[in-house]
Amino acid sequence: MGADLEEKTNRYGELLAEALEAATVAPPEGTPMEAAAADCYEMAASYLEDGTHFRDQGDLVNALASFSYGHAWLDAGARIGLFDVPREGHLFTVDEQTGPEDP
């Protein structure tokens, strides 16, 4: 089981790092929604940092939890339109049917 946990933790850490690179703030600069997007992005980045620390300390359970929470911040933000993200692939749960409508 330890090897499975290690593989899953590493995979989720890579997923979060890739998702952070792919997400860009969608709302116009200076708006309250832009500030909300920045907060969500900061939370996700902080969870990536925390998860990396936990993994480096050998605490795979908390590392996996941190990576999962971080990705949830980004994915939720993408679903409500705070981030522009790829609509295809494995990084986010948005697609043409679930994402916000284009203007």
Side-chain angles (χ1 to χ4, degrees):
M1 170 140 163
D4 293 338
L5 178 59
E6 184 175 3
E7 183 277 327
K8 188 172 191 174
T9 301
N10 290 334
R11 184 167 30 99
Y12 276 53
E14 291 169 9
L15 179 71
L16 176 54
E18 192 176 346
L20 279 163
E21 286 185 28
T24 58
V25 173
E29 191 173 324
T31 64
M33 293 303 285
E34 188 247 354
D39 287 345
C40 287
Y41 192 92
E42 183 180 345
M43 289 297 295
S46 293
Y47 274 116
L48 176 61
E49 188 177 313
D50 291 348
T52 301
H53 171 78
F54 287 132
R55 184 177 55 200
D56 291 347
Q57 297 300 310
D59 186 351
L60 297 180
V61 171
N62 281 317
L64 179 58
S66 293
F67 295 146
S68 297
Y69 286 139
H71 196 270
W73 276 95
L74 281 182
D75 206 34
R79 290 182 70 86
I80 63 172
L82 295 179
F83 302 111
D84 288 325
V85 298
R87 295 194 173 271
E88 295 179 358
H90 66 286
L91 294 178
F92 297 95
T93 61
V94 297
D95 60 24
E96 293 303 322
Q97 288 76 41
T98 61
E101 291 186 29
D102 292 327

